[in-house]
């Protein structure tokens, strides 16, 4: 999106990922020659200061994190360390560099956790239910404090789940769309899932990056909830995905207790009226089309890789 808008785009990548391009950087393969990548890590404050001073960015999009909620229970130490300290380091490095930079922080609907009201807006109290959710609340508060204390143009997008054919295989939507394509081609017999009753507000990632950009074009920074305002269960996602290839999901889903989370977020639904009013943002892809897009893309992927 930024390249299309004529930006000069820089990114930071850990050295380990740079050394394993094919496997680690597949999502940006098509555009990699148009980007400038720098070896740096969220875990190293010094590397971030160095990069900020070298590039002198106009806009910074801080999306990096250990972002898999389920895994954050298994490795809470590294999730909290990387997500909290990493965000602090980025903010502090920006403060050092003292320019008119605009900063975006990827907050999350996981901050609402065991929801205090329905739907959730920017004023809904937080009640995170995982180490990941807790780390995002801290990042959100750090962002707000740097905005208030140092007058930094720092905004947080409280994004609800956003999916696309580039989604990682560990997240439930992609796990299902990929399994559907494999099952249809006789490569897999069933799919193991955890809690299929949990509900999420699922939108299309491409719509959501537009919202991030719009936040940084505003004269004043702020916090914005971004979501579609519609919720669906994991079961509904599976039902639609399997029906799309003419199969009944009930014949293929196996419940695996190991995939249940120690404390679950049962239901999330966004009230993004602030973003709609102040940013002029609205989602363009509905749930049915999103599921269809992901299944179609994985059928194509299987066809090309058989
Ligand atoms: P989430 O996404 O935790 O909402 O966070 P995920 O797709 O992992 O889970 C959604 C819901 O599905 C249930 N579920 C399963 N989840 C996974 N991953 N695998 C399974 O087999 C499975 N079975 C059922 C989960 O319990 C959960 O209720 C995503 C991430 O992208 C975060 O980084 C981001 O902040 C939020 O969305 C907004």
């Amino acid at each position: 999106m930024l390249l299309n808008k004529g930006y000069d785009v820089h990114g930071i990548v850990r050295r380990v990922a740079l050394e394993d391009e094919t496997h680690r950087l597949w999502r940006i393969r098509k555009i990699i020659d148009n980007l400038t990548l720098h070896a740096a890590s969220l875990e190293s404050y010094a590397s971030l200061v160095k990069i900020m001073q070298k590039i002198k960015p106009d806009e910074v999009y801080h999306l990096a994190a250990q972002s898999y909620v389920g895994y954050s229970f298994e490795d809470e130490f590294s999730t909290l360390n990387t997500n909290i300290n990493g965000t602090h380091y980025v903010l502090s490095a920006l403060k050092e560099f003292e320019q008119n930079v605009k900063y975006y922080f990827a907050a999350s609907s996981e901050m609402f956790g065991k929801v205090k009201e329905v739907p959730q807006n920017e004023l809904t109290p937080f009640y995170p239910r995982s180490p990941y959710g807790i780390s995002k609340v801290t990042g959100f508060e750090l962002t707000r404090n740097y905005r208030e204390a140092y007058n930094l143009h720092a905004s947080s997008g409280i994004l609800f789940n956003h999916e696309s054919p580039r989604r990682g295989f560990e997240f439930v939507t992609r796990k299902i769309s990929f399994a559907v394509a494999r099952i249809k081609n006789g490569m897999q017999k069933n799919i193991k899932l955890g809690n299929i009753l949990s509900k999420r507000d699922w939108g299309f990632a491409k719509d959501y990056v537009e919202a991030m950009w719009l936040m940084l074009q505003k004269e004043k920074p702020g916090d914005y909830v971004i979501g579609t305002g519609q919720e669906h269960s994991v079961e509904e996602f599976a039902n639609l995905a399997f029906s799309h290839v003419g199969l009944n999901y009930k014949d293929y889903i196996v419940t695996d207790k190991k995939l249940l989370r120690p404390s679950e977020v049962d239901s999330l639904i966004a009230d993004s009226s602030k973003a709609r009013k102040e940013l002029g943002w609205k989602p363009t892809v509905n749930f049915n089309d999103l599921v269809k897009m992901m299944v179609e893309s994985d059928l194509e992927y299987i066809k090309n890789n058989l």
Side-chain angles (χ1 to χ4, degrees):
M1 184 199 70
L2 293 174
L3 289 172
N4 284 341
K5 291 188 190 295
Y7 279 57
D8 188 7
V9 182
H10 293 253
I12 67 164
V13 185
R14 282 171 298 166
R15 172 71 56 200
V16 282
L18 279 175
E19 282 164 3
D20 182 16
E21 255 190 59
T22 335
H23 179 222
R24 309 291 284 270
L25 305 180
W26 62 269
R27 287 184 188 80
I28 55 172
R29 195 178 300 141
K30 284 191 189 151
I31 53 168
I32 201 160
D33 292 339
N34 303 322
L35 307 172
T36 312
L37 298 181
H38 305 265
S41 164
L42 268 198
E43 282 147 356
S44 156
Y45 175 63
S47 76
L48 294 171
V49 172
K50 223 167 112 185
I51 293 294
M52 299 298 180
Q53 287 178 345
K54 187 168 159 199
I55 305 170
K56 300 194 174 26
D58 299 306
E59 297 180 5
V60 169
Y61 295 86
H62 170 37
L63 277 66
Q66 192 303 92
S67 69
Y68 182 24
V69 178
Y71 180 71
S72 78
F73 289 98
E74 280 166 49
D75 194 355
E76 22 179 316
F77 288 92
S78 77
T79 302
L80 293 172
N81 253 329
T82 310
N83 294 7
I84 297 176
N85 292 336
T87 301
H88 181 204
Y89 294 164
V90 173
L91 281 163
S92 178
L94 286 176
K95 182 171 144 248
E96 287 300 309
F97 138 77
E98 280 180 23
Q99 293 261 338
N100 275 338
V101 61
K102 292 178 179 174
Y103 164 86
Y104 171 85
F105 173 62
S108 163
S109 53
E110 281 295 298
M111 302 192 305
F112 297 123
K114 192 172 178 180
V115 296
K116 293 285 195 186
E117 69 181 321
V118 181
Q120 296 82 52
N121 64 35
E122 293 77 9
L123 301 175
T124 304
F126 300 140
Y127 193 145
R129 296 268 283 171
S130 64
Y132 170 82
I134 294 167
S135 76
K136 286 292 174 180
V137 171
T138 310
F140 176 86
E141 296 297 356
L142 279 164
T143 301
R144 176 151 64 189
N145 190 241
Y146 267 70
R147 176 165 74 221
E148 293 171 359
Y150 309 114
N151 215 16
L152 190 71
H153 192 295
S155 296
S156 285
I158 307 177
L159 270 52
F160 284 59
N161 298 51
H162 39 290
E163 318 293 314
S164 88
R166 290 188 208 156
R167 192 49 144 153
F169 295 97
E170 69 271 44
F171 297 95
V172 79
T173 53
R174 185 75 196 279
K175 185 171 171 182
I176 294 172
S177 65
F178 191 53
V180 165
R182 284 175 52 91
I183 289 169
K184 184 70 185 169
N185 282 282
M187 300 163 75
Q188 187 173 326
K189 286 205 163 51
N190 53 41
I191 172 172
K192 286 184 183 156
L193 291 174
N195 178 14
I196 60 167
L197 300 178
S198 70
K199 293 180 178 166
R200 290 291 184 274
D201 179 335
W202 277 296
F204 179 38
K206 192 174 175 189
D207 286 340
Y208 289 45
V209 291
E210 193 72 35
M212 297 175 190
W213 179 80
L214 285 168
M215 284 175 218
L216 299 207
Q217 310 317 306
K218 292 287 286 181
E219 199 189 320
K220 286 196 178 140
D223 305 318
Y224 294 91
V225 159
I226 304 294
T228 68
Q230 308 279 321
E231 69 171 359
H232 297 275
S233 65
V234 172
E235 187 170 10
E236 281 174 79
F237 191 104
N239 184 7
L240 264 181
F242 277 94
S243 321
H244 189 62
V245 296
L247 300 175
N248 182 347
Y249 75 101
K250 289 188 176 157
D251 298 333
Y252 302 96
I253 290 184
V254 177
T255 305
D256 183 348
K257 287 203 173 113
K258 288 202 286 297
L259 293 167
L260 298 175
R261 295 174 184 177
S263 47
E264 173 68 290
V265 172
D266 296 322
S267 155
L268 289 171
I269 179 161
D271 169 4
S272 54
S273 30
K274 182 181 173 193
R276 287 171 195 244
K277 192 163 159 251
E278 291 186 13
L279 305 176
W281 178 85
K282 62 174 192 316
T284 66
V285 176
N286 68 27
F287 182 67
N288 283 17
D289 292 341
L290 179 66
V291 177
K292 205 169 128 192
M293 180 200 310
M294 292 182 72
V295 173
E296 287 291 329
S297 167
D298 276 329
L299 288 168
E300 194 62 26
Y301 177 90
I302 297 284
K303 201 169 98 192
N304 296 335
N305 290 282
L306 263 182

